[in-house]
Amino acid sequence: MENPKIIDSVLSNFDAPPRSCEVLRVERNALSRKSFRNEILKSKVPVHVKGGIPQSRLDRWSPENLAKHLEGREDTLWVIRGHAEQGGTNLVDISVKDYLSYLLDPEKRAGEEEPLYVTISKEFMKLLPKMEKEFGVNELLPSLYSCDTFAFLGPDKTVTGLHADTYHSLFYQVWGKKVFVLLPPSDTPNVYVSRKYEWSTRLCRVNLEDPEYNRIHFPLLRQSTPFVAEVSTGDMFWIPVGWFHYVYAIEPCFSISFFLANFIRTITYAVWEDWIKAGLHDMGLYGRRNGCTCHPMA
């Protein structure tokens, strides 16, 4: 895999050479509930499942079909300019119709360094069907597993800054190509966890795109062990809870993350994370003092 220049720059933050993630190659429709449980769900390390998404579902949600599904919608979306995980949050409101035009016409993005990106958006998910059913995720999960679903849509050069999810993430690359740079949970002391708020996420103060600054101000980062995976159309990617990851889009992409939790975690941690803390945050009583990724900057 030949990395884009920005990924080479990101990897220069670390003294250790990057490692490859575990790879599982499967035929379309070959994953069963049993093989998913044994080979993916039980894994404590990221697993790159090449060819894991059935072709019929890729065809149904091709760029052309997604555009047909959304065309003519005047609904307003809040989208991110740049990335919000580190620094300020730059939210832009734009209609679905205008965003599709922006996404599908490269001339409208010419010269942009920080393109507009639909990330974890409740407004966007209201425009889509139940994607866990559309992609058959429920057919793979054990009973009593919960699944929260969010889609990501954007052009090339979009970035998700370094963070760790507090649920397992089953990532589907429906079309396009992204590069993941991951750090294991054991590197938590090295990534300078931030107090900025995002739902079910631990953010980092470290912006991996500024290695010279990081060498001076975040010196422990260089001791971390990076893993790299290039995830392409039709691939699945398993990210266990607690793994930090940075994501860069090489091409325009439509991706879906299914955040998974077993029954015990759902009735304990999720009650606090999804109901109490999220509710307090929406009322302005939690997680606003140090900023968040879901509301405009003050």
Side-chain angles (χ1 to χ4, degrees):
M1 177 183 71
E2 184 176 347
N3 294 322
K5 288 183 178 179
I6 189 170
I7 298 300
D8 287 335
S9 176
V10 164
L11 293 175
S12 71
N13 282 288
F14 313 108
D15 292 344
R19 302 183 184 182
S20 297
C21 293
E22 181 179 335
V23 175
L24 176 64
R25 299 180 186 273
V26 299
E27 298 294 330
R28 305 290 185 200
N29 302 309
L31 273 179
S32 65
R33 194 185 298 266
K34 181 178 180 180
S35 62
F36 175 78
R37 182 184 67 240
N38 293 336
E39 299 182 71
I40 299 173
L41 191 59
K42 290 184 177 180
S43 177
K44 303 297 184 183
V45 298
V47 180
H48 183 184
V49 187
K50 292 192 175 182
I53 307 176
Q55 188 62 47
S56 60
R57 280 145 179 161
L58 298 178
D59 293 339
R60 175 170 169 76
W61 292 102
S62 66
E64 297 76 18
N65 287 336
L66 178 64
K68 287 180 182 178
H69 179 78
L70 296 175
E71 67 182 355
R73 298 296 300 255
E74 297 290 348
D75 308 66
T76 297
L77 295 175
W78 284 98
V79 299
I80 295 290
R81 170 76 74 183
H83 67 85
E85 287 75 18
Q86 286 80 43
T89 300
N90 186 1
L91 291 172
V92 177
D93 62 326
I94 186 171
S95 72
V96 175
K97 178 181 177 181
D98 288 343
Y99 187 77
L100 278 177
S101 176
Y102 164 87
L103 177 67
L104 300 175
D105 186 354
E107 292 187 1
K108 294 187 177 181
R109 311 191 306 272
E112 278 192 327
E113 290 300 321
E114 295 187 323
L116 297 174
Y117 189 21
V118 180
T119 59
I120 294 183
S121 167
K122 294 179 180 178
E123 293 78 15
F124 185 51
M125 295 311 299
K126 289 177 181 177
L127 305 178
L128 299 172
K130 291 286 187 179
M131 301 306 285
E132 63 269 21
K133 294 182 179 178
E134 285 284 316
F135 283 87
V137 175
N138 292 333
E139 299 167 13
L140 300 175
L141 296 178
S143 59
L144 300 180
Y145 255 74
S146 66
C147 180
D148 285 300
T149 307
F150 286 98
F152 302 81
L153 181 66
D156 58 308
K157 298 182 181 179
T158 55
V159 171
T160 300
L162 189 65
H163 70 287
D165 299 311
T166 53
Y167 292 109
H168 298 308
S169 175
L170 182 61
F171 183 87
Y172 278 42
Q173 188 62 26
V174 186
W175 41 265
K177 185 181 296 183
K178 291 184 174 180
V179 176
F180 284 72
V181 177
L182 306 100
L183 306 175
S186 58
D187 281 331
T188 300
N190 302 336
V191 299
Y192 300 84
V193 172
S194 168
R195 296 179 66 185
K196 188 172 184 177
Y197 175 84
E198 183 171 71
W199 171 80
S200 191
T201 302
R202 301 182 74 187
L203 301 179
C204 303
R205 291 159 56 200
V206 174
N207 180 354
L208 293 184
E209 295 172 15
D210 197 348
E212 292 184 8
Y213 182 90
N214 296 336
R215 289 275 174 171
I216 298 171
H217 298 279
F218 304 119
L220 295 179
L221 180 66
R222 63 192 302 171
Q223 301 175 20
S224 303
T225 304
F227 290 72
V228 179
E230 185 179 283
V231 182
S232 302
T233 299
D235 291 350
M236 299 161 58
F237 192 45
W238 170 251
I239 306 174
V241 61
W243 277 75
F244 292 88
H245 48 288
Y246 162 97
V247 191
Y248 180 82
I250 301 176
E251 303 170 351
C253 293
F254 180 46
S255 318
I256 304 172
S257 279
F258 302 100
F259 297 106
L260 309 178
N262 62 24
F263 178 71
I264 299 299
R265 189 166 180 81
T266 299
I267 63 173
T268 53
Y269 177 82
V271 169
W272 161 244
E273 184 68 36
D274 299 346
W275 299 349
I276 300 174
K277 189 162 72 171
L280 292 173
H281 178 73
D282 287 340
M283 291 188 289
L285 302 176
Y286 180 90
R288 295 287 184 88
R289 178 177 298 178
N290 299 295
C292 65
T293 62
C294 45
H295 294 86
M297 292 184 295

